[in-house]
Amino acid sequence: MDDPIPAGSLRSRLELQAIQELLESQRRRVTAYADLHRTGSPTVTHLPASPVSLPPSGQEVLDALPVPALLLSPVLGEDGTLRDARYLSHNPLARADAASRFPQDSVPPWAAPALLFERFPGLVRTAIPRMLADALRLGTPQGPETVQWLVRTQSGPVRINDEVRVALCGDHFLLTWERGNRLRMAAAAQQLVRTCWAEWNLSDDGIAPSRGFRHMLGLADDAPLPSLFDLAAAATPDSLSTLYQTLYDVILRKRTAECELRLRSSGNRVFRMVAEPVRVAPGSLVWALRAVLIDVSTDRRRREAAQRSALEAHREHERADAVAAIADALREAVLPHFQDELDPYGLEAAAVYRPDARGAGVGGDWYKARKLPDGRLLIALGDARGHGLEAVTLMAKLRYALAGLAYTGEPVERLTRWLNEVACADGNESTATAIIARYHPERALLRWTCAGHPRPVLVRDGHATQLSTPDDGPGLSLGVLPGTDYTAADTPLEVGDIVLMYSDGLTERRPSDPDQDTRRFLEATERCFEEAAPGAGHAGLQDFIERLVARLDGPHCTDDATLLALRRIGT
């Protein structure tokens, strides 16, 4: 990280000193807690002598390995170079890995001994022959290296993407592998959403970062990992006050907090830091701080540019025209457009956004459908309180906070709880409603929570029904009460099912009864389906929801409205 803040800035030096004292005080508290709960020396118990057991067999050692493994023997040519490797045995994890990748009975069973490259010719063009030869020649373990190849099965080719290691084991080879695409997808996902995360140990400055942590902060691959004080020392002076408040809230108040952090080492990039406490035990002191850092530099620059444009437009033209132009740009920046990117997960998505009739151009509605590193999908739709740029600002905070939090892999109940804490920490007026869901393509299952929002509607064979509430009922709106728990509901989807998520601006007619608004939505959906069932493909689904919005739309709409549709198309 960069050198500490120059000595000339007295206020910055004092704020940096306050952060250092806060961290050192917490380190002393954690150390005292550890000393207080330190156990004495264990009593030495002399066990009776037992017979000497025989060492485990080679197969027993192979079976004990925590990764898939093959035991191979080298097959040498007349010149002494490696020509092939003979398969001798494997462990249960190798068998389970093959069963999970290949359709049943699509690959003939192995019968030892068998030649590896003769059975799988595609391996010859990978790094494995070189790794085997180098392990034999140098006598040192090889890898891990990425190996990608195709296996031809009776039901078609299967792509393999693994991290492979080779090591000598006596006169044999031990070949092990792990599925490598998950780590690369996680790193790529961090770059795509400009997100990283880390957990700092407050007793010894230890840090457990995500794989792309250094890259996101603009650090060299071999640079030391920054402690929390290093992070403060590298921050610009205008970031120190809010950073101290965030650390204070997490460490001493034991609650989730967030701030904007600008680092000089990363080219003055701006990060949204959402942090939570990690406690020794429920109700006890905080011994670690876990945080997600989201690069919001582009959004910050856009926001600052929008503010400057609005100010200049206010001087030269009517303020309404300037706000409308800014809102259009923000809406284009934060609302995604769907094509066929969800097809590999067995879903089609389409969305319609209609701004309110008062001319603001954009409101607090937002939606998201994003792939996650674990092969599942994050799906969400929300409605932030208010209208215009203030609503957009809150909407953007919640949307980007959820994008970062989702990469922790936690269930939707916890994601909704965390998002509620983010909204609560933003101020008394920062309330919103939302549906937060994760789609599991392997089970065709939609798991969702409701935070004060209209429940989704399922359209099956032309019949529209509102999904049942979770067991504990719908949760409170986001930003109303800290510490609120949320319960998820499970909705299995059949091929052809359509799930509709919408904001109340699409159905609400004041004065009106919410149940009557829901009935109007269900009836309009079924009539649209009867008139023309949704056609195939993304275009067909988009046409269906546009017809539905047109049917529900009226001349006196006073709120922006959003409709997000998901259709299961199979895998």
Side-chain angles (χ1 to χ4, degrees), residues 365-389:
D365 284 7
W366 59 274
Y367 55 89
K368 177 176 286 294
R370 183 181 291 280
K371 312 166 199 175
L372 297 176
D374 60 3
R376 295 164 184 168
L377 298 174
L378 170 68
I379 298 167
L381 186 142
D383 183 359
R385 179 184 181 276
H387 301 278
L389 294 180

Side-chain angles (χ1 to χ4, degrees), residues 124-333:
V124 175
R125 293 184 295 275
T126 70
I128 288 181
R130 173 179 51 78
M131 295 173 70
L132 292 170
D134 288 348
L136 183 64
R137 179 174 57 87
L138 302 174
T140 57
Q142 303 296 311
E145 289 197 34
T146 301
V147 172
Q148 302 185 60
W149 56 295
L150 292 177
V151 179
R152 296 192 177 275
T153 70
Q154 295 176 2
S155 56
V158 175
R159 178 175 174 265
I160 305 296
N161 187 337
D162 290 330
E163 297 283 344
V164 177
R165 293 174 173 84
V166 174
L168 279 180
C169 186
D171 295 331
H172 300 83
F173 293 121
L174 186 64
L175 188 149
T176 60
W177 67 92
E178 297 179 80
R179 297 197 182 189
N181 58 329
R182 293 176 182 172
L183 291 175
R184 285 192 300 278
M185 285 178 63
Q190 290 182 68
Q191 294 182 25
L192 287 173
V193 298
R194 307 188 303 278
T195 302
C196 63
W197 53 90
E199 183 173 296
W200 283 272
N201 190 333
L202 297 175
S203 64
D204 60 2
D205 286 335
I207 176 173
S210 63
R211 196 175 188 184
F213 184 76
R214 284 187 176 90
H215 175 77
M216 189 63 59
L217 296 185
L219 301 176
D221 292 340
D222 57 351
L225 290 169
S227 66
L228 285 172
F229 181 74
D230 293 335
L231 210 62
T236 57
D238 59 316
S239 301
L240 290 176
S241 177
T242 55
L243 176 60
Y244 173 81
Q245 187 62 51
T246 296
L247 296 177
Y248 184 91
D249 288 343
V250 173
I251 295 173
L252 298 184
R253 294 183 177 177
K254 304 176 184 179
R255 69 186 189 186
T256 301
E258 67 173 271
C259 67
E260 279 196 355
L261 188 64
R262 192 188 297 270
L263 300 179
R264 290 173 287 118
S265 63
S266 60
N268 271 354
R269 280 190 289 178
V270 182
F271 294 88
R272 171 69 64 182
M273 180 177 176
V274 183
E276 67 167 0
V278 180
R279 304 187 186 186
V280 176
S284 65
L285 60 78
V286 176
W287 70 345
L289 180 144
R290 183 183 300 131
V292 174
L293 283 85
I294 309 161
D295 187 346
V296 295
S297 305
T298 301
D299 306 288
R300 178 64 179 269
R301 285 192 291 268
R302 287 175 179 168
R303 187 173 65 186
E304 292 172 349
Q307 291 171 346
R308 289 193 299 269
S309 298
L311 180 60
E312 185 176 350
H314 179 73
R315 295 168 180 169
E316 299 179 2
H317 306 286
E318 293 183 358
R319 186 179 185 279
D321 293 339
V323 171
I326 296 167
D328 286 341
L330 287 171
R331 179 179 61 194
E332 190 68 20

Side-chain angles (χ1 to χ4, degrees), residues 457-477:
V457 167
L458 176 66
V459 184
R460 178 174 290 169
D461 297 327
H463 181 59
T465 56
Q466 193 172 32
L467 296 182
S468 301
T469 58
D471 293 340
D472 293 343
L476 290 175
S477 298

